[in-house]
Amino acid sequence: MFSIGHVTVDSPLVLAPMAGISDQPFRLINRSLGCRFAFTEMISARSLVCNNKTTIKMLSSPAEDRPLGVQIVSADSEIIKRALDILSNYPFDIIDFNAACPVNKVVSTGEGAGLLREPAKLQKLMRVMVDHAGKPVTVKIRSGWDEASVNAADIALRAQDAGVKGLFIHGRTRAQGYSGRVDYAIIGKVKKCLTIPVVASGDALSPQLIRKMFDETGCDAVAVARGALGNPWIFRETIEYLEKGLPPPRPHVHEIAETMKRHLALLVRFLGETTGVIRFRKFFGWYVKGMAVKHLKVMAFRSDTQDEMLRLIGEMGTVPSYCPHVDRDV
Ligand SMILES: Cc1cc2nc3c(=O)[nH]c(=O)nc-3n(C[C@H](O)[C@H](O)[C@H](O)COP(=O)(O)O)c2cc1C
């Protein structure tokens, strides 16, 4: 259990924001298997202000999708204020500010992880967020821009000083992207500097690695990202592992198939059949990771109807016993 401002979450696990992934169906599937707190995909504040249709759709969430955080990215205080004004019409519990995105298109405009190179500007923007959000504000950072400029502790103190209520830290530099191992030491250092809660991110790929993150850093909660791709069971299994210390059994192939069907149905309802099925293709690949079903995966990537996808999922039941997701640990 941990709290961010007045928002209390009865689990130390968070579903991390993932652009192109953390849509409403993905969040609901993870919630059905133990996730208690989720984030939307990263939202461009500028697209929101421009009333971009795709962006507006990203904001929709049913009542069972709570508590829910929304994450925005921008480096412009006026745009941030206007975006916050729009967000005040939505029932988000927390508003997170992205200072972590490593993508060239984002950092080249000074946004996302680009702000780690401008600590004073980032602090000013966080103050704007805190003053105008009307809700608890958090910030997501990386350990620094590159190995030569690891400044997470300084940025974290600035965030706390600006009134931010919780800090998310991905323990890699922007230069690392998603490669290499997470730096537990820098997360532990940041945790020691702060009084606000610290949510750690990086290599949260299995219950064992999540436990390691808690042990090595003393963090208040862990954000699960790639570990939940095709593997919503990570929430249920990690809670059990943290309580009992024994590796929980992996889901049976029939449970995986039933979950895939539910996920597909949610996507089709949310996006319509064509777009929903296309979005499900990559999830099919993630769900069957570790299974000897390469032929089904290849067909799934060509499939464009719900019936065809359901037929392929149905064929999974004929696969001989296997150990799914064996290579999740790094
Ligand atoms: C496909 C993908 C999209 C992501 N999008 C976002 C995002 O929109 N906002 C964000 O703060 N982090 C984003 N992340 C970073 C994750 O939230 C997380 O910090 C990172 O993957 C490290 O955790 P992991 O090693 O356990 O995956 C993304 C990661 C992935 C793999």
Side-chain angles (χ1 to χ4, degrees), residues 302-313:
R302 289 192 205 122
S303 163
D304 44 22
T305 67
Q306 186 173 12
D307 281 350
E308 169 68 355
M309 205 55 106
L310 286 172
R311 191 183 65 71
L312 298 173
I313 296 171

Side-chain angles (χ1 to χ4, degrees), residues 71-97:
Q71 184 187 64
I72 62 168
V73 64
S74 177
D76 181 323
S77 56
E78 289 312 308
I79 296 284
I80 290 174
K81 284 184 210 167
R82 288 168 63 191
L84 290 175
D85 203 32
I86 296 168
L87 290 177
S88 68
N89 299 313
Y90 291 84
F92 295 111
D93 299 281
I94 281 169
I95 306 191
D96 184 63
F97 185 65

Side-chain angles (χ1 to χ4, degrees), residues 16-21 40-42 71 96 98 100-101 140 142 170 172 178 201-205 223-227 229:
M18 281 186 280
I21 307 283
T40 64
E41 306 175 59
M42 180 175 80
Q71 184 187 64
D96 184 63
N98 183 307
C101 180
K140 167 105 178 272
R142 281 181 171 246
H170 178 185
R172 288 187 175 88
Y178 296 96
S201 172
D203 295 345
L205 304 174
V224 181
R226 289 174 296 178
L229 298 177

